[in-house]
């Protein structure tokens, strides 16, 4: 949907992400998919165009083999059709990678991690990462804080190179010391992931760009960057939520200016950002979040500029992974198809 329907869409997004994707495949799966996404609409069959609609003639902005999708965007189709039919469509649309938001069973019965890994690879999809909760009051919860070994065991079984959380570092509060404590937790998880050949990462929403409650001159995101070991803790910038953060927190609580540019965080430390979430929004100053979320290509975030700036850094053309996402798409397979087509159409400016 293009407009937020919850009083606090950011909180709703974080809470709903705690649910795990289900797996089910109905007898009508092929018919449903055929109706939702005709074969001639696949990204690979689309005529390359620029964002303005003209034929692209420069080098593609999107590096080869680096377009993924966060499966949270397709949770409705995964739960009703199963991973297999969804992966088949993503292959047709030109996706290279998938990022998980859970891998539990649905009404069709269990699927093992080995089967899930093989299913992705059979459709040319590289499982690149996964979102797991940070902490819970339940000692048996599937989170980094409560079951770190199990989380990493599963990530290894899937062959993931990245394992992270979409939870904000608010476990201990919003003070400077609270975020230093959370940074210690993240360093611990990062060290454990690194020992297994993986990178731990944190995915932002907009609140990370707010200010410490006990020192409103300090931006919380800057504490996270400073207090975590860059060799152990990486970031997955959700570009949409970063620009929402820019809209919301370019002034301190006392009203004094505190402007920032999300892209500059990446350009200063590109090695810390192996992953990105590519989601779009229409600018709307009347919205307290500044944007109405929309399909990639329908909004006002300049992805030609953003992706080009990162991939043109020396040695970084293939260093990053770009995951399309929409929290609540009107039709999830249509979103996936259109987002891939748009991102593949972007060209470098001559």
């Amino acid at each position: 949907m293009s407009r937020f329907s919850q009083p606090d869409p950011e909180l709703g997004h974080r809470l709903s992400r705690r649910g795990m994707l289900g797996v089910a495949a109905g007898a009508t799966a092929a018919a449903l998919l055929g109706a939702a996404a005709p074969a001639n609409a696949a990204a690979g069959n689309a005529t390359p165009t620029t964002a303005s609609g003209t034929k692209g003639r420069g080098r593609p902005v999107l590096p080869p083999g680096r377009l993924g999708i966060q499966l949270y965007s397709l949770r409705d189709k995964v739960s009703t059709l199963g991973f297999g039919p969804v992966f088949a469509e993503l292959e047709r649309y030109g996706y290279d990678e998938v990022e998980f938001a859970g891998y539990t069973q649905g009404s069709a019965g269990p699927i093992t991690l080995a089967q899930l890994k093989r299913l992705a690879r059979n459709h040319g999809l590289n499982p690149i990462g996964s979102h797991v909760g940070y902490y819970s009051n339940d000692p048996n919860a599937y989170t980094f804080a409560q079951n770190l070994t199990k989380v990493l065991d599963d990530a290894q079984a899937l062959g993931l190179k990245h394992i992270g959380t979409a939870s904000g570092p608010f476990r201990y509060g919003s003070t400077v010391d609270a975020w230093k404590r959370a940074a210690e937790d993240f360093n611990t998880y990062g060290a454990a992931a690194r020992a297994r050949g993986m990178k731990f990462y944190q995915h932002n929403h907009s609140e990370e760009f707010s200010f410490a409650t006990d020192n409103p001159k300090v931006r919380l995101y800057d504490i996270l960057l400073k207090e975590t070991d860059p060799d152990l803790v990486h970031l997955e910038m959700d570009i949409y939520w970063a620009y929402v953060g820019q809209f919301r927190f370019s002034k301190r609580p006392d009203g004094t200016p505190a402007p920032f540019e999300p892209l500059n965080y990446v350009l200063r430390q590109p090695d810390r950002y192996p992953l990105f979430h590519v989601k779009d929004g229409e600018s709307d100053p009347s919205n307290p979040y500044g944007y109405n979320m929309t399909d990639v290509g329908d909004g006002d975030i300049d992805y030609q500029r953003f992706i080009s700036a990162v991939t043109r850094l020396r040695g970084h053309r293939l260093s990053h992974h770009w995951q399309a996402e929409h929290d609540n798409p009107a039709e999830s397979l249509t979103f996936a198809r259109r987002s891939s087509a748009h991102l593949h159409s972007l060209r470098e400016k001559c």
Side-chain angles (χ1 to χ4, degrees):
M1 59 187 66
S2 61
R3 291 186 177 272
F4 294 119
S5 59
Q6 305 173 59
D8 186 344
E10 185 170 347
L11 177 60
H13 171 81
R14 291 199 299 266
L15 292 176
S16 62
R17 208 182 256 286
R18 293 178 185 176
M20 306 294 271
L21 289 174
V23 182
T28 60
L32 288 172
L33 284 169
N40 61 8
N45 295 331
T47 299
T49 59
T50 64
S52 62
T54 59
K55 288 186 179 181
R57 295 178 179 174
R59 182 177 73 163
V61 167
L62 192 69
R66 290 296 185 271
L67 178 61
I69 191 166
Q70 166 52 253
L71 291 171
Y72 180 77
S73 304
L74 298 164
R75 59 196 181 277
D76 61 327
K77 294 297 189 289
V78 171
S79 65
T80 56
L81 304 176
F83 280 110
V86 171
F87 286 172
E89 291 303 294
L90 295 178
E91 181 181 17
R92 292 174 63 215
Y93 299 163
Y95 283 94
D96 310 295
E97 301 174 334
V98 289
E99 181 183 33
F100 290 100
Y103 8 84
T104 57
Q105 298 78 31
S107 59
I111 182 171
T112 68
L113 295 176
Q115 290 170 331
L116 187 55
K117 176 182 178 180
R118 185 166 56 253
L119 191 60
R121 295 294 172 86
N122 286 346
H123 289 288
L125 299 169
N126 178 32
I128 192 64
S130 180
H131 284 187
V132 176
Y134 170 16
Y135 67 94
S136 171
N137 293 327
D138 177 0
N140 297 314
Y142 190 80
T143 63
F144 283 96
Q146 277 65 45
N147 278 291
L148 177 60
T149 299
K150 174 62 174 171
V151 167
L152 296 181
D153 285 347
D154 289 350
Q156 256 190 320
L158 280 167
L160 302 181
K161 296 298 183 184
H162 308 83
I163 180 69
T165 184
S167 304
F170 293 96
R171 181 181 186 181
Y172 308 108
S174 300
T175 65
V176 172
D177 283 344
W179 273 55
K180 287 182 177 180
R181 288 183 65 190
E184 291 177 4
D185 287 348
F186 284 10
N187 284 331
T188 298
Y189 309 150
R194 185 181 182 184
R196 299 191 186 212
M198 293 179 283
K199 292 181 179 179
F200 170 81
Y201 64 95
Q202 193 266 342
H203 162 287
N204 65 274
H205 292 86
S206 70
E207 288 290 342
E208 283 88 335
F209 296 96
S210 64
F211 299 92
T213 53
D214 61 336
N215 189 345
K217 293 183 178 181
V218 177
R219 195 180 301 280
L220 291 173
Y221 196 70
D222 295 337
I223 300 172
L224 180 66
L225 286 169
K226 181 180 179 181
E227 297 296 329
T228 52
D229 186 331
D231 292 329
L232 301 179
V233 177
H234 299 81
L235 291 308
E236 176 180 62
M237 179 174 282
D238 186 303
I239 300 168
Y240 169 87
W241 285 116
Y243 279 103
V244 171
Q246 181 192 59
F247 178 85
R248 297 181 66 195
F249 303 113
S250 282
K251 290 184 179 179
R252 297 183 180 87
D254 64 3
T256 57
F260 73 95
E261 166 55 53
L263 176 58
N264 289 340
Y265 276 105
V266 182
L267 298 182
R268 284 194 293 265
Q269 299 186 65
D271 290 330
R272 295 207 76 175
Y273 293 88
L275 305 172
F276 292 91
H277 272 191
V278 179
K279 64 176 65 159
D280 214 341
E282 297 172 321
S283 179
D284 180 3
S286 68
N287 186 319
Y289 288 82
Y291 293 88
N292 299 312
M293 195 178 297
T294 188
D295 289 356
V296 178
D298 289 346
D300 298 313
I301 297 177
D302 189 346
Y303 278 109
Q304 192 281 338
R305 168 181 172 265
F306 195 103
I307 298 175
S308 290
V310 176
T311 59
R312 293 174 86 171
L313 292 171
R314 185 173 182 179
H316 281 275
R317 175 72 175 159
L318 298 174
S319 298
H320 308 275
H321 305 265
W322 307 88
Q323 316 295 309
E325 188 186 34
H326 191 312
D327 295 355
N328 293 292
E331 208 299 314
S332 58
L333 286 173
T334 300
F335 155 75
R337 173 180 55 79
R338 296 182 71 241
S339 298
S340 175
H342 175 74
L343 290 168
H344 278 110
S345 78
L346 296 178
R347 294 294 185 269
E348 298 280 4
K349 292 181 179 179
C350 298

